[in-house]
Amino acid sequence: MPPLPGLIVIGCSAGGLHAMQIVLSGLDPRLPAPVVIVTHTASNEVDLICDLLRRHTALPVTEATERCVPAAGVVHIAPSGYHLLISNDGRFELSVDAKVCFVRPSIDVLFSSAASASNGQLIGVVMTGANQDGADGLLAVRRAGGLAIVQDPAEAEVPVMPQACLDLSGADHCLRLADIAPLINRIFHL
């Protein structure tokens, strides 16, 4: 039996707040891996997003901070205005490098760094969004041996992002939002 994933990375953009509420509400509170989310937000909205998401999940929700280790069973939200990376020693790093796909934080940056740092022991999830951010990152996840889950573009509020991922990298699973958390719970035998 392959080892269980040690990290779950999720990316979304337009329509993502609703998508995150659905997925996080279905995750088992015994989840033994950290959840790290990049969503494209306006500045200073991360506290509000954390507060809102706490109402929809039994998991703690917090803003990711520099040099902290992602905690198992905790949802970490990328801060506005910074790329969020996972370093090779498993800690969060923040960067003000150039925007990727016109955004910072970038899903591609998080996913690519996580794929490298986790030796492929991760799950990458891409949901609704209006640009192609996440496609290259999900390809990196798959190439590293990680599991790729994409929201079915037919049900996404904005299908551009999930469709870009399917076009570039494909997916191990293309699912409705309501089916993503149950799959993750099954992967962890919950």
Side-chain angles (χ1 to χ4, degrees):
M1 175 185 289
L4 293 176
L7 182 65
I8 300 164
V9 289
I10 299 176
C12 57
S13 185
L17 188 57
H18 177 70
M20 287 187 292
Q21 290 171 0
I22 291 172
V23 171
L24 294 179
S25 70
L27 291 176
D28 192 293
R30 299 169 296 163
L31 190 69
V35 178
V36 183
I37 298 176
V38 164
T39 182
H40 303 154
T41 61
S43 61
N44 302 322
E45 286 187 11
V46 175
D47 287 340
L48 295 173
I49 290 170
C50 290
D51 288 342
L52 180 63
L53 293 177
R54 284 183 194 112
R55 299 179 204 158
H56 295 275
T57 181
L59 299 169
V61 180
T62 187
E63 183 174 347
T65 55
E66 177 93 32
R67 302 301 304 150
C68 287
V69 175
V74 175
V75 177
H76 304 272
I77 307 293
S80 295
Y82 296 91
H83 290 308
L84 179 63
L85 299 92
I86 307 293
S87 67
N88 286 335
D89 68 357
R91 296 179 182 275
F92 287 129
E93 289 183 354
L94 300 178
S95 162
V96 290
D97 287 344
K99 293 180 178 181
V100 175
C101 292
F102 308 104
V103 294
R104 187 177 53 227
S106 164
I107 300 164
D108 283 335
V109 170
L110 171 63
F111 280 29
S112 295
S113 68
S116 176
S118 69
N119 295 315
Q121 298 303 311
L122 78 159
I123 298 171
V125 181
V126 176
M127 302 182 297
T128 181
N131 69 15
Q132 296 183 357
D133 188 27
D136 288 333
L138 197 63
L139 181 60
V141 167
R142 294 196 84 199
R143 285 184 173 162
L147 184 75
I149 302 171
V150 174
Q151 179 186 7
D152 183 348
E155 77 141 17
E157 187 171 325
V158 182
V160 176
M161 186 178 292
Q163 188 62 57
C165 289
L166 292 175
D167 292 345
L168 181 65
S169 67
D172 296 294
H173 301 275
C174 181
L175 302 170
R176 295 177 32 240
L177 280 175
D179 297 327
I180 293 174
L183 172 62
I184 291 171
N185 291 337
R186 284 194 306 275
I187 289 167
F188 288 99
H189 312 292
L190 300 172

